[in-house]
């Protein structure tokens, strides 16, 4: 017979528990990082929302303002409300991201990056146009050369510069026809980039918040593991105790011990009586006439009682009584339909402490 | 509480035995039978309690072990493609 481990938690499971504990502990160490990440991402998302708000406010202001760029009083407050749509746009983008898979999110981020590049390119182009060299600006786009060419052409003299300026002016006029569309497209790109960034950072903030909450898992896991260890220890102790208690000879021994405890208590009581009897006999120094005989009779009676007690204390008597009681108990158990506590029934049958026969031939 | 630690009943039993001793009377058979019957009943009760506790412990340990060894958070999540629905239909 070979004894198999009595643990209810298998080795693989225990290994997994240990791995999970280490991972949880590692996560818990990142708690300050997650906290900082939440702050940072929320700040960035807030900043992006603010930029979006300003862009949309400007849009609505330009759309609703009069020729002096002034808003009528009733519309001033509505602009603020209309601009708050950026909040909902950001939330919509956030929900969109949340519903995306890994691949979709990767595509989203790349598209956002391309839009950001376009935005930066546009900003760079504007800056370049604003800081053109003087000679290039003289070519006809409203510089000094252009005004000179205009003056000469008004006198009927057509110069090369005036001809180039006329060509450029035609191109500008064509471009101006698309100006609202270009303006809206630029605004749209900027809006999309900023909203996308806000939504992404909101997503990261939520991820970090989730991780921050998950770090609490470590404390609970630690407590659970301590509890598991305590339960397993109690289980093992209880199991050992049950193995003993299931045995009939153990039961007999325990009952015998209990009987002997009672006998010892009896012995202590009897000892007190003996002592008081001997002490009382010494005190009576001056007996009255006739009392001596009475005392002797009482003493004889007393010693008779004590002798009877001493006789009753024979171990053989207790053993006989115990055996009598035990055999009666066994008979009653059989009459009741079998032993009251079936041997071997106590051990939990599932995966615990099984005794499996070993192959003797193999040994 | 292990068997034989029920102090009140046990004290009464010991006090009764001591009382027989103090009165210098032999310990009667009926007392011995009573002690043994009482002890046997307590033993059986203790055995039943321990069995019940053992079953409870077994359930607790198995449950706790299963919970602690369960995969942590996102480990077992299926990989999504473009959208969640796409991933589900792809798996099906």
């Amino acid at each position: 017979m070979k004894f198999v481990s009595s643990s209810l938690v298998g080795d693989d499971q225990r290994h997994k528990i240990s791995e999970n504990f280490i991972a949880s502990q590692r996560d818990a160490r990142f708690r300050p990082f997650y906290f900082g990440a939440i702050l940072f991402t929320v700040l960035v998302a807030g900043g992006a929302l603010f930029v979006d708000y300003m862009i949309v406010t400007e849009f609505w202001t330009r759309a609703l303002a009069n020729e002096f760029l002034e808003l009528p009083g009733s519309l001033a407050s509505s602009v603020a409300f209309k601009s708050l749509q950026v909040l909902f746009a950001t939330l919509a983008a956030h929900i969109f991201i949340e519903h995306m898979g890994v691949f979709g999110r990767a595509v989203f981020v790349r598209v956002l990056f391309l839009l950001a590049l376009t935005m930066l390119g546009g900003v760079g182009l504007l800056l370049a146009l604003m800081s053109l060299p003087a000679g290039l600006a003289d070519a006809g786009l409203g510089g000094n050369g252009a005004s000179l060419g205009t003056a000469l052409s008004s006198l009927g003299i057509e110069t090369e510069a005036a001809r180039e300026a006329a060509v450029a002016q035609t191109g500008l006029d064509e471009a101006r026809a698309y100006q609202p569309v270009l303006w809206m497209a630029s605004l749209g790109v900027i809006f999309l980039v900023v909203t996308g960034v806000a939504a992404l950072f909101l997503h990261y903030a939520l991820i970090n918040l989730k991780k921050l909450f998950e770090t609490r898992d470590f404390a609970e896991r630690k407590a659970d593991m301590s509890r598991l260890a305590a339960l397993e220890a109690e289980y093992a102790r209880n199991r050992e105790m049950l193995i003993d208690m299931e045995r009939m000879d153990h039961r007999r021994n325990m009952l015998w011990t209990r009987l002997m405890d009672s006998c010892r208590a009896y012995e202590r009581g009897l000892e007190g009586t003996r002592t008081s009897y001997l002490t009382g006999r010494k005190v009576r120094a001056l007996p009255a006439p006739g009392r001596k005989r009475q005392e002797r009779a009482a003493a004889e009676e007393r010693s008779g009682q004590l002798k009877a007690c001493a006789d009753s204390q024979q171990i053989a008597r207790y053993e006989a009584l115990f055996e009598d009681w035990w055999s009666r108990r066994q008979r009653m158990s059989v009459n009741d339909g079998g032993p009251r506590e079936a041997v071997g029934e106590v051990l939990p049958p599932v995966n615990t402490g099984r005794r499996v026969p070993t192959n003797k031939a193999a040994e | 509480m292990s068997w034989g630690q029920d102090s009140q009943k046990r004290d009464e039993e010991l006090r009764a035995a001591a009382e027989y001793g103090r009165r210098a009377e032999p310990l009667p058979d009926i007392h011995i039978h009573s002690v043994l019957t009482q002890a046997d009943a307590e033993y059986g009760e203790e055995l039943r309690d321990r069995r019940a506790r053992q079953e409870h412990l077994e359930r607790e340990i198995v449950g706790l072990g299963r919970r602690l060894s369960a995969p942590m958070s996102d480990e077992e999540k299926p990989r999504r493609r473009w959208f969640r629905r796409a991933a589900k239909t792809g798996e099906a």
Side-chain angles (χ1 to χ4, degrees):
Chain A
M1 300 287 273
K2 190 173 70 178
F3 189 74
V4 179
S5 166
S6 65
S7 176
L8 291 170
V9 182
D11 286 345
D12 290 343
Q13 201 178 14
R14 204 173 287 281
H15 182 64
K16 189 71 189 162
I17 289 172
S18 175
E19 274 183 354
N20 283 351
F21 181 75
I22 291 167
S24 179
Q25 192 179 29
R26 196 167 50 227
D27 278 351
R29 285 203 199 104
F30 278 94
R31 195 179 173 86
F33 172 80
Y34 293 140
F35 191 72
I38 289 169
L39 274 182
F40 175 69
T41 47
V42 165
L43 275 177
V44 172
L49 270 175
F50 178 72
V51 170
D52 255 357
Y53 179 81
M54 295 310 288
I55 291 169
V56 178
T57 303
E58 193 181 333
F59 170 80
W60 280 113
T61 306
R62 282 179 186 274
L64 299 175
N66 57 20
E67 63 267 29
F68 305 108
L69 283 177
E70 288 172 345
L71 282 168
S74 58
L75 291 176
S77 58
S78 77
V79 165
F81 278 112
K82 286 185 177 85
S83 304
L84 276 176
Q85 65 182 292
V86 294
L87 183 66
F88 299 103
T90 308
L91 288 177
H94 172 70
I95 293 166
F96 181 66
I97 289 170
E98 287 296 319
H99 278 78
M100 275 182 171
V102 178
F103 184 69
R105 205 167 288 159
V107 170
F108 182 83
V109 170
R110 278 151 186 77
V111 168
L112 205 63
F113 180 68
L114 287 177
L115 288 177
L117 275 184
T118 312
M119 188 180 79
L120 286 174
V123 171
L125 188 65
L126 278 176
L127 282 173
L129 282 174
M130 283 164 68
S131 55
L132 279 175
L136 190 58
D138 284 349
L141 297 175
N144 294 333
S147 57
L148 181 62
T150 311
L152 286 172
S153 63
S154 66
L155 293 171
I157 305 164
E158 192 175 353
T159 61
E160 185 68 22
R163 208 175 300 120
E164 284 175 5
V167 172
Q169 190 61 43
T170 313
L172 276 175
D173 287 343
E174 282 173 6
R176 277 204 183 93
Y178 295 105
Q179 196 177 25
V181 178
L182 287 172
W183 185 71
M184 280 298 291
S186 309
L187 201 66
V189 166
I190 296 168
F191 184 77
L192 273 177
V193 168
V194 180
T195 306
V197 167
L200 267 179
F201 273 75
L202 206 58
H203 170 72
Y204 293 139
L206 283 179
I207 286 177
N208 283 302
L209 188 66
K210 188 183 162 202
K211 285 182 176 172
L212 190 68
F213 275 104
E214 279 176 355
T215 55
R216 293 167 62 190
D217 171 71
F218 176 61
E220 289 172 13
R221 196 172 284 274
K222 207 171 158 186
D224 278 350
M225 284 189 72
S226 308
R227 189 158 160 263
L228 180 66
L231 287 176
E232 282 191 306
E234 189 187 346
Y235 180 83
R237 277 198 308 274
N238 212 17
R239 183 184 152 75
E240 294 298 319
M241 184 66 86
L242 279 171
I243 288 171
D244 285 340
M245 287 182 81
E246 272 298 318
R247 294 196 336 258
M248 274 298 167
D249 59 332
H250 182 268
R251 191 171 192 142
R252 267 178 69 100
N253 287 341
M254 294 305 286
L255 294 177
W256 177 255
T257 308
R258 180 81 170 256
L259 177 62
M260 286 300 105
D261 285 346
S262 202
C263 291
R264 269 195 292 278
Y266 172 74
E267 174 65 30
R268 278 195 296 275
L270 193 63
E271 193 59 37
T273 309
R274 275 188 199 129
T275 312
S276 65
Y277 170 65
L278 289 172
T279 316
R281 207 168 56 171
K282 280 176 189 169
V283 169
R284 288 166 194 155
L286 297 169
R291 193 170 177 179
K292 204 170 182 179
R293 202 173 336 121
Q294 286 176 358
E295 276 184 359
R296 195 180 301 125
E300 279 173 5
E301 186 189 350
R302 199 70 174 168
S303 58
Q305 281 180 334
L306 289 176
K307 190 172 179 302
C309 288
D311 289 343
S312 78
Q313 280 182 291
Q314 296 297 320
I315 197 77
R317 175 185 171 239
Y318 293 137
E319 279 176 352
L321 280 170
F322 183 82
E323 287 301 331
D324 177 50
W325 178 86
W326 183 258
S327 58
R328 197 172 297 175
R329 177 191 177 279
Q330 294 293 87
R331 277 201 305 277
M332 280 171 67
S333 297
V334 172
N335 290 341
D336 285 348
R340 282 173 190 171
E341 276 84 27
V343 178
E345 199 178 272
V346 62
L347 297 179
V350 193
N351 302 329
T352 55
R354 288 166 301 167
R355 288 180 185 276
V356 293
T358 51
N359 191 352
K360 283 184 181 173
E363 284 173 355
Chain B
M1 190 178 70
S2 63
W3 178 74
Q5 299 295 311
D6 189 351
S7 56
Q8 197 184 346
K9 283 180 184 173
R10 199 166 162 77
D11 284 351
E12 281 174 13
E13 187 184 298
L14 295 176
R15 212 177 298 126
E19 188 58 33
Y20 280 114
R22 271 193 291 276
R23 284 187 302 202
E25 291 176 17
L27 202 58
D29 294 356
I30 187 81
H31 176 82
I32 292 171
H33 277 259
S34 162
V35 166
L36 289 172
T37 308
Q38 175 71 28
D40 191 48
E42 282 179 25
Y43 192 97
E45 196 178 335
E46 172 73 13
L47 199 56
R48 275 193 298 277
D49 287 350
R50 279 192 182 275
R51 280 176 185 166
R53 177 70 183 156
Q54 194 75 343
E55 280 177 17
H56 174 73
L57 283 174
E58 188 182 331
R59 278 197 299 273
E60 284 273 308
I61 290 169
V62 169
L64 204 54
R66 203 172 288 155
R67 189 150 63 86
L68 285 172
S69 63
M72 288 174 71
S73 61
D74 295 339
E75 270 179 23
E76 298 293 316
K77 271 191 178 176
R79 284 177 66 82
R80 289 175 289 161
R81 293 160 74 181
W82 280 87
F83 290 96
R84 281 178 189 163
R85 191 169 292 174
K88 277 178 189 168
T89 50
E91 278 172 4

